Amino acid sequence: LRLLGAGSMEFDGTNDYVDCGNDSSLQITGALSISAWAKKTNAINVRFITKYNAPADGSFYLAILANGKFRLNITSGDSGWEVNGTSDLNDSEWHHLTAVYTPSISLKVYVDGILENTNTSSIPASLDNDDVNFVIGTEGDYELDFTGNLKNVAVWNRALTATEVQNVMYKSY
């Protein structure tokens, strides 16, 4: 892991990650929003912000798939729900990514401030609150390591509106 100018973290895809622990402020079971600026530099499946080890151990992960699509996955009990974006992020360019979970209502993914997809099918009323650390740059079991750059990672314990997503994207940190 290398820290670059303007707060960017560079991940080389091999055991680079930031382990944020499992502080009570990160044990979110209700509404959740996560955003980050990301630049992916390879075409493999990666998970870049997670509180997840396996379907029955964790609460969410954000991924960029091999086909370049942005994914939000959440878990509750032994079940998982997901929503994928539509843009191809395998272009080595910076993109602002936001994932929003609204309990019992929806999962949403935004790319560069634009809502790309929504899942409203049987969305659970709460997330799991397992004893899993919040990790940036890899999955909780240290697989599917991210290759690229991340900056301005932010987490909210509420569902951001579309206007708030755009405001966060344009806010200078």
Side-chain angles (χ1 to χ4, degrees):
L1 172 69
R2 263 183 1 159
L3 295 178
L4 304 175
S8 173
M9 298 174 285
E10 181 179 41
F11 298 85
D12 66 10
T14 307
N15 299 318
D16 289 345
Y17 59 89
V18 177
D19 188 331
C20 300
N22 192 28
D23 184 79
S24 62
S25 65
L26 296 173
Q27 296 175 13
I28 300 168
T29 58
L32 170 72
S33 299
I34 303 171
S35 72
W37 281 95
K39 179 169 64 169
K40 184 180 176 206
T41 56
N42 63 14
I44 62 170
N45 285 329
V46 294
R47 294 185 180 163
F48 63 99
I49 300 174
T50 68
K51 190 167 173 34
Y52 184 87
N53 275 343
D57 191 18
S59 56
F60 65 83
Y61 68 77
L62 276 58
I64 301 174
L65 306 176
N67 64 6
K69 307 306 183 220
F70 174 39
R71 172 179 285 172
L72 165 62
N73 177 285
I74 64 165
T75 60
S76 184
D78 289 336
S79 298
W81 293 260
E82 63 192 32
V83 61
N84 294 335
T86 57
S87 294
D88 182 350
L89 305 178
N90 286 334
D91 59 2
S92 295
E93 299 291 332
W94 283 104
H95 294 281
H96 189 262
L97 307 176
T98 305
V100 179
Y101 161 64
T102 305
S104 302
I105 297 174
S106 66
L107 302 177
K108 295 180 179 182
V109 289
Y110 295 80
V111 175
D112 297 328
I114 298 169
L115 177 64
E116 288 204 339
N117 207 352
T118 302
N119 178 352
T120 58
S121 180
S122 302
I123 303 302
S126 66
L127 297 172
D128 282 351
N129 184 17
D130 291 324
D131 188 22
V132 176
N133 289 353
F134 183 94
V135 181
I136 300 169
T138 190
E139 185 175 47
D141 57 5
Y142 311 104
E143 295 180 6
L144 301 173
D145 294 343
F146 185 73
T147 301
N149 300 76
L150 295 171
K151 65 181 179 178
N152 298 348
V153 175
V155 180
W156 295 264
N157 61 354
R158 64 185 184 84
L160 295 180
T161 66
T163 299
E164 289 173 318
V165 168
Q166 290 179 347
N167 288 342
V168 167
M169 183 177 93
Y170 291 113
K171 183 177 179 179
S172 175
Y173 289 91

